[in-house]
Amino acid sequence: MNNLLDGFYVTHNIQFHEVDSMNIVHHSQYILWLEKARFALAKKTLNFGMKDFERNGILLPVTKVECKYLRSIKLDQPIRIYVKLVESESALVKFIYEVYEEDTQVKFAEATTEQAFVNKEGKLLLNQPELWVEGVKKIKTEFPTYIVGQ
């Protein structure tokens, strides 16, 4: 996986409800962090929140998640979730992520998600919506370190 440290990130402090009885983060929490990072990236680069996507007919349900857990994260550890958009012309959108300890930059996890464009009726789109295409152009121009080629 590419080093994402020059890309966009969000910070997060591990909370009690995210850990198991050994004070280690439960694996399911990572998926929530990936979503948090993805939407924060969209908000920063496109000024789009979740409702903006829906209002503009851009629905992107997750079709695939992969996460490689490298080290355990414990209660109260501050982390950074880095994310980059993978540039593609297909009707699938892919993001890559890395999770690090905020102070030491020790890597905890690597992940990817894929989303498919669907219409409001849930039918798969064969092409990217024009609004998305324009948004990717904007990211490439204004935030070039937040995007990688396929």
Side-chain angles (χ1 to χ4, degrees), residues 19-123:
V19 299
D20 60 20
S21 61
M22 297 178 291
N23 283 330
I24 295 173
V25 170
H26 190 270
H27 66 276
S28 63
Q29 297 302 310
Y30 291 70
I31 306 308
L32 300 173
W33 301 339
L34 303 181
E35 183 177 273
K36 176 182 178 178
R38 219 173 29 249
F39 277 104
L41 175 67
K43 190 67 173 169
K44 171 162 179 141
T45 59
L46 304 174
N47 199 29
F48 255 51
M50 185 179 294
K51 292 291 183 192
D52 296 309
F53 279 97
E54 292 173 4
R55 198 171 15 262
N56 285 283
I58 299 177
L59 304 177
L60 281 165
V62 174
T63 58
K64 183 178 181 180
V65 176
E66 292 181 347
C67 189
K68 183 176 180 181
Y69 304 97
L70 304 172
R71 291 179 177 73
S72 297
I73 304 175
K74 300 203 176 212
L75 182 63
D76 290 330
Q77 276 188 293
I79 61 170
R80 287 184 180 182
I81 304 101
Y82 289 84
V83 58
K84 285 191 180 189
L85 171 65
V86 178
E87 186 178 14
S88 171
E89 292 181 14
S90 78
L92 289 175
V93 177
K94 184 175 181 178
F95 293 89
I96 55 176
Y97 312 81
E98 291 179 347
V99 179
Y100 288 87
E101 204 279 333
E102 186 166 29
D103 299 326
T104 64
Q105 292 297 308
V106 170
K107 190 189 300 187
F108 292 122
E110 299 173 344
T112 61
T113 60
E114 288 182 5
Q115 287 86 247
F117 287 103
V118 298
N119 65 18
K120 290 182 180 184
E121 291 76 39
K123 293 200 178 225

